[in-house]
Amino acid sequence: MSTYQRRELADVEALKALAHPLRQRLLTRLQRRGAATSAMLATEFGEDRGATSYHLRQLARYGFIEEDTARSEGRRKYWRSIPQDLRLPGSGTSPEVDVAARELGRQWQERAEGELAAFRASEDDFGAFSDAALSSLGGTTLTAAELAEFTEEYIDLLNRWRREPGHALPGARHITVVFHAFPTPDESA
C-alpha cells in the first residue's frame, strides 16, 4: 500500500489545471487502472494523441501524475498517478481560489452522483459487491473541532484500505467512496 500525502489544493493554477474535464478523466483513469501511455489513453477516450499528451504534461506540471520511468522506454512514456489525499481549501483563501475550488468540488460531486446513479440503475449486475455496498444517511452533533477530527479519522480509515492498481487482491474491483460531513443547513428538518 502507498502512503497518501495530504495535499490542500490552494494554488489557483493547480486547481484550474485539474478542473479541465479531460484531465479529470485522465487522472481518474490512471488512479483506478494504473499507468498508461498518451497513445493508449487517446485511443481509450477517443481523443487526439497530441492533445492527450499535452493534458498529461499539464497534470504532471502540477504534481498530479508522474512518468513511470520503470515502464517507459525511449519515446514511449508511461504516466502514473501520484498517490495523494487531495483536498479542496476552505473558503476565504482568495476569491479566485474560492471560485476554482467550488468548480472542482462541483465536478467531483457530479462525478460521484453519476457513478452512484449508474450503480443504482444496474445494481443486480454487481452480485456480491451489490450486497456488500452501503448507502447510509445519518448524523450527529459535533463542534467544529470534533467535525475536523471525525473527518481526519475517516480519511485515515479510507487510506488504510486504499490499494494501488496492480496491488489488488484477485476478484477486487474499484470501489467509489463518497463522504460528506457538513453542518445541517436547516436544523428543523
Side-chain angles (χ1 to χ4, degrees):
M1 280 187 221
S2 297
T3 302
Y4 288 79
Q5 294 290 25
R6 178 178 175 161
R7 179 177 176 192
E8 187 169 311
L9 299 173
D11 172 30
V12 71
E13 297 305 319
L15 282 163
K16 287 179 181 179
L18 190 56
H20 188 282
L22 179 56
R23 291 179 196 152
Q24 279 289 303
R25 291 172 56 210
L26 293 168
L27 179 60
T28 299
R29 160 50 179 88
L30 294 173
Q31 289 169 330
R32 292 182 180 179
R33 295 186 30 225
T37 66
S38 62
M40 293 165 65
L41 294 167
T43 300
E44 198 172 313
F45 291 114
E47 296 286 339
D48 176 75
R49 185 174 173 193
T52 302
S53 182
Y54 169 78
H55 290 299
L56 288 166
R57 287 192 311 273
Q58 290 302 303
L59 287 169
R61 177 181 176 192
Y62 291 100
F64 298 109
I65 67 172
E66 63 189 1
E67 182 181 352
D68 185 345
T69 55
R71 296 187 71 180
S72 295
E73 191 175 307
R75 293 185 62 192
R76 186 179 176 114
K77 193 180 286 192
Y78 276 83
W79 297 96
R80 66 176 170 216
S81 66
I82 297 173
Q84 297 177 72
D85 170 10
L86 298 175
R87 301 194 188 189
L88 297 175
S91 61
T93 307
S94 78
E96 194 175 21
V97 168
D98 291 349
V99 168
R102 275 195 297 274
E103 172 57 22
L104 187 54
R106 183 196 63 73
Q107 288 179 16
W108 287 352
Q109 180 179 348
E110 198 172 89
R111 184 176 77 204
E113 289 170 353
E115 288 178 359
L116 178 59
F119 166 71
R120 291 281 184 232
S122 59
E123 225 171 309
D124 294 340
D125 298 342
F126 291 92
F129 283 95
S130 186
D131 295 337
L134 171 70
S135 289
S136 174
L137 178 63
T140 188
T141 304
L142 303 172
T143 65
E146 289 171 324
L147 176 57
E149 184 178 346
F150 178 88
T151 300
E152 290 307 316
E153 287 181 24
Y154 163 79
I155 296 295
D156 288 344
L157 175 65
L158 179 62
N159 284 336
R160 279 199 326 264
W161 285 93
R162 284 195 206 207
R163 293 189 185 109
E164 289 299 304
H167 294 111
L169 298 175
R173 63 176 302 141
H174 187 271
I175 304 298
T176 297
V177 180
V178 180
F179 171 75
H180 301 283
F182 52 90
T184 309
D186 181 3
E187 297 245 358
S188 65

